[in-house]
Amino acid sequence: MVGSPHHAQADDDLQVLMIEDDSAVAEMYRLRLSADGYVVTIARTGEEGLDEAIARVPDLIYLDLRLPGMDGFEVLQRLRSTASTAEIPVIILSNFGRPELVERGLKLGALEFLIKADTTPSRLAESAERWTQPASRVSVR
């Protein structure tokens, strides 16, 4: 590993940002992700999520669509149009899975669209592992 020993902790701990206004849902998923070694930050509004994403530049973002204030689609558009956050993997996690919503989310740059009712904490952890593995994040230069 390159760098001083002070960077080892930051390099090893994958940062996940969960933008979710439902405290119970956010906590359920946070507990599982934390148990798997992820450092999870929860943002309760779209604006707070965007601020956290820019400040922390997490390894992965889970994004609800129905949020107070700025909705998830607007958050995703802003993430993709900001240089520091444009490449962060974003997975939409929503109660609403209508095909037009899924299509819109994927067109805006989400990597996956998960329906909360079908997404157990272990399934969410599997998606986190899938999208944070080095092979899935390699860019061609």
Side-chain angles (χ1 to χ4, degrees):
M1 185 178 304
V2 178
S4 69
H6 298 293
H7 290 101
Q9 180 82 16
D11 290 345
D12 293 339
D13 293 339
L14 291 170
Q15 303 281 328
V16 174
L17 174 60
M18 180 160 294
I19 306 173
E20 169 63 65
D21 62 324
D22 184 322
S23 300
V25 169
E27 186 61 12
M28 173 183 71
Y29 290 131
R30 186 197 68 76
L31 286 170
R32 175 56 195 256
L33 291 171
S34 294
D36 286 354
Y38 296 94
V39 176
V40 182
T41 301
I42 297 171
R44 307 250 182 249
T45 68
E47 290 87 350
E48 185 184 338
L50 197 55
D51 291 346
E52 288 288 342
I54 291 167
R56 295 176 185 271
V57 189
D59 297 292
L60 180 66
I61 297 173
Y62 285 102
L63 175 62
D64 191 8
L65 293 179
R66 303 243 345 222
L67 295 164
M70 185 189 312
D71 75 12
F73 289 123
E74 187 174 346
V75 172
L76 184 54
Q77 285 177 308
R78 290 190 185 193
L79 288 169
R80 291 297 174 245
S81 65
T82 302
S84 64
T85 60
E87 300 297 320
I88 299 172
V90 175
I91 297 172
I92 293 174
L93 184 61
S94 178
N95 283 321
F96 304 96
R98 293 196 314 270
E100 63 272 17
L101 297 178
V102 174
E103 183 179 343
R104 182 176 175 199
L106 296 176
K107 276 187 178 172
L108 287 173
L111 297 177
E112 195 171 4
F113 196 111
L114 300 175
I115 307 301
K116 290 178 190 174
D118 300 332
T119 306
T120 63
S122 62
R123 182 157 178 235
L124 188 86
E126 289 167 9
S127 86
E129 188 174 325
R130 181 168 54 250
W131 294 112
T132 57
Q133 293 305 307
S136 69
R137 309 222 29 218
V138 173
S139 59
V140 178
R141 294 178 190 225

